[in-house]
Amino acid sequence: MTVETILPPAEVLAAHAKSCWPGESAEYRAARTALLAEEIALRRQLERVAEQRRALPPGPAVARDYQFEGAEGPVTLAELFGDKETLIVYAWMFGPERERPCPMCTSLLSAWEGEALDIQQRVALAVTARSPLDKLEAFAAERGWRHLPLYSDTSGDFSRDYDALIPDVGEIPQLLVFTRRDGTIRFFWAGEMDDTTADPGQDPRGAPDLMPLWTILDFTPEGRGADWYPSLTYPAQ
């Protein structure tokens, strides 16, 4: 029998916080304490969502033996797991029709480059794109990436089946999670937020936001803005 933990109201925890900044006004402290209560509530909501995600029933079994090209040669989806039971795949918008990759995807992956070795202590990680492997590796070298495992989905079969390449739409980024239990590979989760689920005035992003860039900018008074996106080079071209 599961015993539900009764948490104190977020407002109570916020009122107990001891932060006090040099020169702050009573107005600032009251507003900041009210915001802190919302931040505590948000943290709890994120925990509830993560718990609900982990409790998903078994997803559909993967019926195809997808093939990729990696640094060590041809590799299957099953082999991407290595010795792990869970595999995270990021579908990078860098198809053969592109001279340069998507700047937003690239900004995200640049942040993940610094976390890749840590991530792979817990789960397997793969970054797939439809361009030839040498094209992916050349850009990775330009960007200074050393730890992201890159794989070419040259046939495009994986990208098409898992909504990273949609007819009449084109490429879209995808974060996909697969599991391997008792020898069976199953789809576990993928982001499903798109234009149909977006709120007015906001990008159709998922939640939590995968990009540390936006999380950091959300802490600032300027926010993420509505007229700026990352560039592949700076000064932006």
Side-chain angles (χ1 to χ4, degrees), residues 20-105:
C20 181
W21 307 109
E24 71 176 23
S25 65
E27 179 185 20
Y28 177 88
R29 176 44 46 197
R32 182 64 186 94
T33 300
L35 174 60
L36 178 58
E38 293 295 328
E39 291 169 342
I40 293 168
L42 174 60
R43 181 189 67 203
R44 291 175 173 178
Q45 176 66 8
L46 290 172
E47 287 294 326
R48 286 193 296 270
V49 169
E51 183 177 1
Q52 185 175 352
R53 186 183 297 113
R54 291 192 295 269
L56 284 169
V62 176
R64 301 182 64 173
D65 191 20
Y66 295 100
Q67 303 283 323
F68 305 90
E69 186 71 24
E72 304 300 322
V75 61
T76 65
L77 182 68
E79 290 171 327
L80 293 183
F81 279 82
D83 62 353
K84 300 297 190 294
E85 293 188 329
T86 299
L87 167 67
I88 295 174
V89 178
Y90 185 81
W92 183 18
M93 294 174 63
F94 195 3
E97 69 281 359
R98 290 177 179 265
E99 181 180 349
R100 306 281 281 170
C102 165
M104 291 281 280
C105 287

Side-chain angles (χ1 to χ4, degrees), residues 1-32:
M1 179 178 178
T2 302
V3 178
E4 184 176 354
T5 301
I6 299 177
L7 301 174
E11 293 80 5
V12 171
L13 291 184
H16 290 163
K18 297 179 173 57
S19 294
C20 181
W21 307 109
E24 71 176 23
S25 65
E27 179 185 20
Y28 177 88
R29 176 44 46 197
R32 182 64 186 94

Side-chain angles (χ1 to χ4, degrees), residues 2 6 9 15 19 37 43 57 70-71 78 90 94 106 118 148 152 182 184 194 200 218 234:
T2 302
I6 299 177
S19 294
R43 181 189 67 203
Y90 185 81
F94 195 3
T106 301
D118 293 321
L148 288 172
S152 175
D182 298 323
T184 300
D194 56 21
D218 280 344
Y234 292 99

